[in-house]
Structures are given as C-alpha cells and as structure tokens.
Amino acid sequence: MRHLMICASLLALSACAAETQDRSEVVAIKGNIITMNDAQPRAAAMVLGEDGGITAIGDVALLDQYPDARVIDLAGRTIVPGFIDSHAHVREFGMDRIKADLVGAETVEEMVALLQARFPNPKAGVWLIGQGWDEGEFATRGYPDRAALDAAFPDNPVALESLHGFGGFYNGKALEIAGLNAETPDPEVGDILRREDGSPTGVMLTLAQDLVDQHIPQPDQAMREEAIIAALETMAAAGVTSIHEAGMEPLDVAAFKSLRAKDALPARVYGLLDGNNDALIADWFAAGISDDPQDWLDIRSIKIFYDGSLGSRTALMAKPYSDKPDAARPTERISPEKLQTLANEAQAKGFQMAVHAIGDEGNNRTLDIYESALDGDAFSRWRIEHAQVVLPDYYDRVADLKILSSVQSSHAVGDSGWAEDRVGAERIQHAYAWQRILNAGGELMLNSDMPGEPWTPMETLYFAVTRAKLDGTPPGGWYAEQALSVEEALKAMTLTNAYGAFQEDALGSLEAGKWADFVVLDADPTAVAPATLKDIQVLQTWINGEPVYQAE
C-alpha cells in the first residue's frame, strides 16, 4: 500500500509493523477498544483481514479462534475509530506551507514583519502570499489599511487571505496589477473598502477578492498533488483517516483523481464539488456520482457558498446586526433562485447538497430550498455547513427533514469574543447551539474547517466538550449548556460523519465487515478530565488494516 509510514522509533507497541507486514497473515490487535457500535460499545480484541477490513471483534477469548495470528498487544491503550474530518480544505492546507502564516497578527506592522521573515529577499514582481489574519477581530477593531504594506513591498504584489476566507488584504502593487482604483465600482456581490478619497484601503470582502485573486498565478496540478499528499500525511499523523474536501475546484478534482489512479492517497477522501462553479457542476450532473468500492475517493456531493461570515458581518441575518448595523454587508454569493435550481437537479441526479449557511436568515432560506427540492424525501442526507446562527424553528425543521448540521467546535470558541456583540443577547441563544439540535432529534457532524482554526481531532474534541479556548478561557466554557459529552462528540466525529458521506456501512465504527481504520491513543477520552482532552496523544494511526503513523 502507498501510505506514509512515519516511524520515529521502534516502540514495543507494534515495532513499526508496516515495514514488514504481510497482508496474507492474520493480525490481531489487543487493547481498550471503543467501537462506536451501540450493540457492542467496548471490545478487547480485533482481528484484521487480508483485504484491509475487520474480520472479527470481541473479547480476548476471540483470539483462541486465530491461533496463528500475529498478536499486537497495545498494553491496554485505547483504540478508537479513525477520525473523519467532514469539512476540511486539504489542498489549501497543503499549499499554506508556501505562504506566510499570519495567524495571531493584530496589526499591519505585525503582518509586515511576518511577511519579511517568510520572504526575506523576494524577487521583484513575485507575488507574496500570506494567510490567517482574523477578519472577525479586525471587523471589531477596524479593518486595516495598506499603507504599511505599500511601504514595505513597493515592488511585489501582496495578497493576504483572512482566517476564514471572507476577506482579502492587498497592497498597492496588487491593486495596480488588477487595475483597481477610486473609480472601480464594487462588484455585484462583495465590497471594496475605501479611504476617504475613495481609493481602496486594500481590504476586499467576499467576492470582491476575485477582482485581485484572478491575477495570482494558480498552482498547477503537480503542485496541487504534492500539497494534497503533504496535508493528508500531516492529518493522518494526528489521527485523521478520512476527510471530506469541502469545495473541490476542477484542478483539485483532477489532482485527487490522479492520486487515486496512482494508488497514492494517504487517507480516504469524500469529495464535495464547488457548487458555485457552473461548468464543473454541469459536467458532473451529466456524468453522475463517483462511488469508489474501496472508499478511497468518493465524489457525490455539492458544496455551495451561500452567505458570508458572522465576523465580517456578511452573513444573512433576519434582523439587523446588533453592533454597527451600518457596517454590515449581508451577502448572497448565489441567488436563491439559482440555488433552488441546483437543489432540484441535485435531487434528480442523486447528488448530496451541502450549503454554507452562517446567518439565521441564510439558514432559513436554505431550509426552504431544501424542503422544496426534497419534496418529502427524508433520506437524502443533505447537509448545512456551519449552521452558526439559526431561527428558533431550525431545530424541529432539520429533525423533520433529516438534514445534517455540519458544525465546527473551533468556531464557537474562536468567535466567542465577539459573536454576542454581533447578534445580541437574545439571538446568541440560537448560535452554535449543538445541544438544541440534538435535543430536537437532529444529527450533528463535527469537524474542523481546517486550516482556518486549530484542527487536530483532539483539539476538536476538547472544544466541543469544554466550549473553552486552549488556554481554558472562559472559565467553565462559553454557553457551556450547549457543550457535547465526550461520547456525543466522538460519535459526531466518526459514525455520523461516515453517515454524512453514505459510508456508515464501511467506516465510522469498529465492526466486522468494516475497513480497519483506527487510532491508538495514550489515554481513554471517556475517562479523563475534559480539560486534558487536548493533551491526549495519538500513538498510532491505521488505515485499511495497515499502520501509517507511529509516534515517538
């Protein structure tokens, strides 16, 4: 098999079994197994088959039936199903290694310093790319101006992506290349922020970014493949065995398909196509879904950007924003009529819909469109990505329609410093409201939306259970009544995520007949203090019955 094997040291755990594993031999694993199977929640032994699947699972006596098996005794360490990150941007994550990391930068001067450290002697004319300035935080304190960027980089175009992708920050050279000036009108969807004289500040919100971004040289397929491999290997080392790529562009599709054809994907991939790309979707509607029998690359979903973000005040809200309503720029990246047409055709062609909806009115309109398109089909497994702020009837509606709420625990704690300012004390009760969704009978998919936030499974689990930042603030958690139990969060990160990709018969729990995708941890997450969940270490990651990562 083609997967990575990061083997830092020859531990007694399995002595880097991947380097010598013979697929014809029977391998048995002993440990504290959390199966995520309600019929058999715990097990002590698991037998792996030649095909990469689980042959049997049960108590230690099970091993008597396999006297010739090579037994790997994990000395009581905990085994959980491989984590499925059901909303990730893997290619972007891989590409970020060529960008300046701006996460945490609070001023333009700090951004300049980080750019200079990353690109100390740039050749004139080369684009300098950075990523990670927090548009939500800057929207609160005031968006930046490009003056310091212009002074530091007069000969290089600079493009700085925001943390969540809803804003771009550019210097004068980049604006010059794009032909933008005081006379340039705002696009139909998006905003060019301006100085008093009408000239651009350098900040572009939502689709206004495209005015500049279209001039940035795009990575070719080979570079995309390299980025995908690097990202998936990094994620596998953190315990992620499967990802849902949220918004595949045409070149991304080609790169993932090429890697699958070469048997070179380091982890499983479920593809959500870029639903805002008309040509791409027309091609896929004509060709139909792609269902890989081995579940390495399934493509059968359409991910559509509908509204904006809460932080940048571009999400669609039913009533004005509570803070600075005059500064709000609610955005529809696609018209409701076009979204309805897409939904109708997706239903007819058997494609899953997954719509990015942040604001309460954005979520409401999306549910209206879903309800019309589904026309009583309660088993479509359509998804709403984020569902951050919702109307009070959202919970019963998604439960009745069997719509999956795909949420990110990192967003709740990351936004906690300003989210209530945006929507006020009443509407915040229906924001990041995970327990309200579950209590109404809805289903939660839990994921990271990486690379915009801390993304490792242990961080995602910690955020979901504590509703606190990594430093433990706020004490007791932010609106902690909406926190998940460890068991609820684990299910949302494994079995429900598999269900959300039509893969629950093959992934998401440890049962006979499913793929042997699992993770070995140094502690049982159900038996430790919630505050320490983030400190649990991944010791091994196995995919398709083979160890692909082992820690020191």
Side-chain angles (χ1 to χ4, degrees), residues 162-379:
S162 67
L163 186 63
H164 302 109
F166 296 98
F169 186 29
Y170 309 90
N171 72 342
K173 190 68 174 178
L175 299 178
E176 175 188 329
I177 290 171
L180 301 185
N181 52 46
E183 284 70 47
T184 304
D186 284 356
E188 183 177 348
V189 178
D191 296 275
I192 302 171
L193 301 195
R194 302 177 188 273
R195 296 166 169 170
E196 288 186 3
D197 63 2
S199 62
T201 65
V203 174
M204 310 283 184
L205 298 181
T206 63
L207 296 192
Q209 298 173 80
D210 295 344
L211 298 175
V212 184
D213 290 350
Q214 62 182 310
H215 298 279
I216 302 174
Q218 293 297 302
D220 60 17
Q221 181 172 318
M223 187 178 295
R224 288 171 188 261
E225 290 184 21
E226 182 181 354
I228 290 166
I229 289 174
L232 290 178
E233 288 182 347
T234 301
M235 296 182 78
V240 177
T241 58
S242 179
I243 66 100
H244 298 183
E245 182 72 345
M248 286 181 169
E249 301 172 1
L251 286 176
D252 295 332
V253 173
F256 278 104
K257 291 177 73 173
S258 173
L259 289 171
R260 175 64 181 114
K262 293 183 286 191
D263 204 27
L265 283 171
R268 303 186 194 276
V269 177
Y270 179 74
L272 287 75
L273 299 163
D274 178 4
N276 297 77
N277 187 311
D278 294 344
L280 176 69
I281 298 306
D283 288 344
W284 276 84
F285 277 161
I289 66 173
S290 177
D291 187 7
D292 182 349
Q294 302 300 310
D295 296 309
W296 284 108
L297 180 61
D298 291 335
I299 301 177
R300 63 177 302 169
S301 186
I302 300 169
K303 192 260 184 164
I304 298 165
F305 261 116
Y306 182 32
D307 68 349
S309 73
L310 193 64
S312 61
R313 302 187 188 89
T314 54
L316 287 173
M317 300 298 295
K319 296 180 180 179
Y321 280 80
S322 297
D323 68 332
K324 299 182 181 179
D326 293 340
R329 296 170 174 85
T331 298
E332 284 183 300
R333 294 192 176 201
I334 182 174
S335 71
E337 294 78 17
K338 187 172 182 179
L339 183 55
Q340 184 71 70
T341 299
L342 267 173
N344 292 344
E345 192 161 3
Q347 172 68 351
K349 301 287 187 179
F351 281 83
Q352 179 190 59
M353 289 284 282
V355 173
H356 164 112
I358 298 283
D360 55 12
E361 184 59 24
N363 280 282
N364 187 54
R365 294 182 191 181
T366 300
L367 286 181
D368 288 344
I369 289 166
Y370 278 11
E371 188 169 14
S372 176
L374 293 173
D375 192 25
D377 178 2
F379 302 98

Side-chain angles (χ1 to χ4, degrees), residues 413 462-463 465-478:
V413 298
Y462 165 84
F463 294 142
V465 173
T466 66
R467 300 270 290 203
K469 297 180 181 180
L470 293 175
D471 64 4
T473 60
W478 185 64

Side-chain angles (χ1 to χ4, degrees), residues 431-468:
Y432 316 91
W434 310 325
Q435 282 297 341
R436 290 180 184 271
I437 293 171
L438 291 178
N439 291 338
E443 293 279 4
L444 279 181
M445 302 174 67
L446 183 59
N447 45 63
S448 73
D449 198 13
M450 58 90 73
E453 298 280 2
W455 61 268
T456 70
M458 291 300 103
E459 290 170 327
T460 298
L461 180 63
Y462 165 84
F463 294 142
V465 173
T466 66
R467 300 270 290 203

Side-chain angles (χ1 to χ4, degrees), residues 389-407:
V389 187
V390 300
L391 296 176
D393 67 351
Y394 175 88
Y395 315 105
D396 288 336
R397 293 187 72 188
V398 293
D400 292 342
L401 292 169
K402 306 297 183 185
I403 302 301
L404 297 158
S405 298
S406 172
V407 303

Side-chain angles (χ1 to χ4, degrees), residues 68-101:
D68 298 326
R70 178 165 63 86
V71 177
I72 299 173
D73 190 345
L74 297 178
R77 289 176 171 84
T78 297
I79 300 168
V80 297
F83 292 105
I84 301 171
D85 194 331
S86 56
H87 187 121
H89 302 279
V90 164
R91 190 265 302 160
E92 180 182 339
F93 179 47
M95 292 298 298
D96 278 352
R97 70 182 190 277
I98 68 172
K99 302 174 184 175
D101 183 0

Side-chain angles (χ1 to χ4, degrees), residues 504-523:
E504 74 277 10
D505 290 337
L507 301 173
S509 62
L510 299 176
E511 304 177 47
K514 291 193 175 187
W515 300 119
D517 294 3
F518 59 91
V519 179
V520 182
L521 305 175
D522 71 348

